[in-house]
Amino acid sequence: MLDLTQPQIDEKFDPFGDLFGFYELEYNSQFPYRWSSDYAFVQMPFGYHLAPRYVATVRAQAGMGKPNPLIFLGNERPVASVTPTDVFRVYRLLLPPAPPGDANVRLELQTQPRTLNGDNRPLGVVLSDIELRGLPHTNWPAQALLPVAFGLIWGLARWRGARIRDALLICVPLGAALLSLYAFAGPGPLSYATLAAASLGAAAVAMLIARQSYARLSLALLGTLISFSGMIWSTWLSDDVFISFRYAQNLVAGNGLVYNPGERVEGYTNFLYTMLAALVLRLGGDPVYWTYLSGVGFALGLLLLTYWLAARLLGSSWALVAALLVATSQSLLLHSARGGGLETALYALLLLTTVAVYLGALRGRGQVNLALAITGVLLALATLTRPEGALLLMITAFHYTAYDLAGVDLRPGAIARTIRHKGGLGALIGPYMLLIVPFFIWRYTYYGDLLPNTFYAKVGGGLRALPRGLAYSWGFAQTMGGPLLLLCLAGLIPDWRGALRSWRGYILLLLGVYTVYIIAVGGDVFRGERFFVPLVSLVAILFADGLAQIVRTAMARPTLRLVTPVLVAVLLSVYSLYALERTRSIDYIIKGMDESVWLYREIGWWMADHAGPDESIAVIGAGAIAYYGQHTTIDMLGLTDHHIARVVMPNMGAGAAGHEKSDPAYVINERRPTYIPDLWQGYFTDQTELRANYYLITIKTRYGRDLVMWKRRS
């Protein structure tokens, strides 16, 4: 139920509801109420993934004399027309099924506008509440999937040596968790059947990589938490991901890997991810759906690989602690299973896989040079996904050189002979260079730059960026426990020299250098400290290692032997619950960012429907508008514009990362866009030229919204 008499959306409805066209709460002598405008709608994102049909209940009245007919629409399709009276009446409406390609449930209210004396607002009707309720239905895919899947999990557990009782202890709690989520979870961008399949797939992998039944069950339940996090918490997509989709769209259309046809500017930093999006488009898929699905898959991969690696370094029980920290990290979930859409989770998985293979090479298992060569290939793939992959190569090459030369004859000639005989460094760097050098040659010949255009748009400011980077790093530290992060160093206590020569030294080196880099560039603008997400698994492993050392020390004392397990259990429980709840304070910001993206989509659709082939638009949100509009788009922040990215700005580094570059005169006089959404008129601090060259128009989007645009004078 959406109670419109409350100052905010009822929490039973939030975060699943979006409102448009409703005015603020008002009062008279009898009751509180809200006016609608002449066109208003309430939307439940992805509601049709929860139920195939909905009933809407609306309590409304005319609010003044001479009422006009009120038209109810469901996803822009007429449902009913009524004439409200001066008393509240309840209207119940059966909404149509989902239109093709749209899983959002939308109820629109449309009427002729009226005005009251002294009130210039266009008024519709007075409302107190709206309810959107899914009709009971049978989810046949889920009904068919669950029994078969549990049979497979049962059989796999038994095949892996589990007793009948242990197999039951795995399947029964997992089944109870999935049934509870079916009954109580809200709508999400992926269907219940899809998420259940992902959860059961993770459980199947857990049967293979874990030996103890408690570990298998724990991993299965943590995998379920990750899979369904987009139904448990609000989901979102960054507008920036649509920049990559725009490049992929043009590539598939034959226009080249460009943002605007004819303009060779590298406005992305995720070549491999953009190529994957192009593959999805080439195969006829929807990159938006793919990015939600892949986010769940990458997050599950991080969970399972974290456990697998930690089990080999620390043992199964402490590996579960690391897995728990990964599964409950809202920073990680926010940029993977809950959406985000960017390449962050893929890059994190490549980084963790690199660490696992490299540490295996250091432990001398199997063909060492082959493992180092695979490490080089993985580092190259990471570099093609994020530029920071080059930093990972330098860290790894430095560590391997120091590790390989430890304890050898330090005379120059002896060192040279050792390097020639071992050849491991060449096995590491050679495959990397074979992949990356051709890419850099292509980049320079195609775009004319060795670095992406986004580097010039975002990076700069020198020491001015350090306070922003330090604040960004402290924000991430708080999400991982604040002072508790000191536990990551506890593994050094017994023998710090020996610990630094072990796997701990490599991970600490990687974390330290990478953190310094993030501070130096000033972080980024996204909530959840996105740049730190690839480090979450490594922090979790070191945290578990340090906690294990503290527990071993405490258990050696008879007075602490009984209380220590209880204290550890309480610590981990409080830590995990805190981590899971930590985005509550910023969920409204995340939700607002997501609503902005879909508003940009409507602007893009309007461009596709109404703009001429030679018309263009200037924007600050350069993703969804360009992707859905498919017209020339000028990015006023310079991510995809060569000139703006290289503008020298005063106090660069002190503002929001990636939002500091601008050149209003260049946009108006040289790029000369046909349209500029009024959303961003604040970009033009001196509006003299804007008003001299443009005039205001009102457009109506596909969803019926009225939006104001500046249009260039002919």
Side-chain angles (χ1 to χ4, degrees), residues 303-419:
L303 168 73
L304 297 168
L305 185 55
T306 299
Y307 172 83
W308 182 88
L309 178 58
R312 278 146 184 78
L313 300 175
L314 307 173
S316 180
S317 297
W318 294 110
L320 283 179
V321 173
L324 175 67
L325 269 58
V326 168
T328 56
S329 168
Q330 282 288 13
S331 291
L332 189 147
L333 294 177
L334 199 60
H335 293 282
S336 58
R338 289 180 60 183
L342 291 166
E343 72 287 343
T344 308
L346 171 60
Y347 177 69
L349 187 57
L350 286 169
L351 187 155
L352 185 60
T353 307
T354 298
V355 171
V357 175
Y358 176 67
L359 291 180
L362 293 188
R363 299 175 77 178
R365 295 185 176 181
Q367 298 291 327
V368 173
N369 281 354
L370 176 60
L372 289 172
I374 295 173
T375 302
V377 171
L378 290 169
L379 285 169
L381 294 176
T383 303
L384 293 175
T385 304
R386 287 287 311 169
E388 292 86 351
L391 177 64
L392 298 179
L393 173 73
M394 289 187 285
I395 295 170
T396 305
F398 172 82
H399 180 269
Y400 181 76
T401 302
Y403 181 89
D404 209 26
L405 296 179
V408 305
D409 190 339
L410 296 180
R411 289 174 298 179
I415 293 176
R417 286 194 300 273
T418 301
I419 293 175

Side-chain angles (χ1 to χ4, degrees), residues 118-185:
D119 189 341
N120 294 323
R121 297 177 300 173
L123 301 176
V125 293
V126 174
L127 300 106
S128 64
D129 52 70
I130 297 174
E131 179 184 31
L132 299 175
R133 184 181 299 276
L135 292 177
H137 70 289
T138 301
N139 190 332
W140 292 113
Q143 295 276 5
L145 168 71
L146 291 179
V148 174
F150 279 117
L152 292 174
I153 297 294
W154 168 279
L156 190 58
R158 294 284 289 147
W159 176 66
R160 294 288 292 168
R163 294 175 295 179
I164 294 177
R165 182 189 65 181
D166 293 335
L168 279 174
L169 288 176
I170 294 170
C171 291
V172 171
L174 181 59
L178 290 174
L179 289 174
S180 298
L181 289 165
Y182 181 75
F184 298 110

Side-chain angles (χ1 to χ4, degrees), residues 565-582:
V566 176
L567 292 176
V568 170
V570 171
L571 170 67
L572 292 176
S573 298
V574 172
Y575 183 102
S576 301
L577 290 174
Y578 162 75
L580 288 174
E581 285 296 304
R582 65 164 294 268

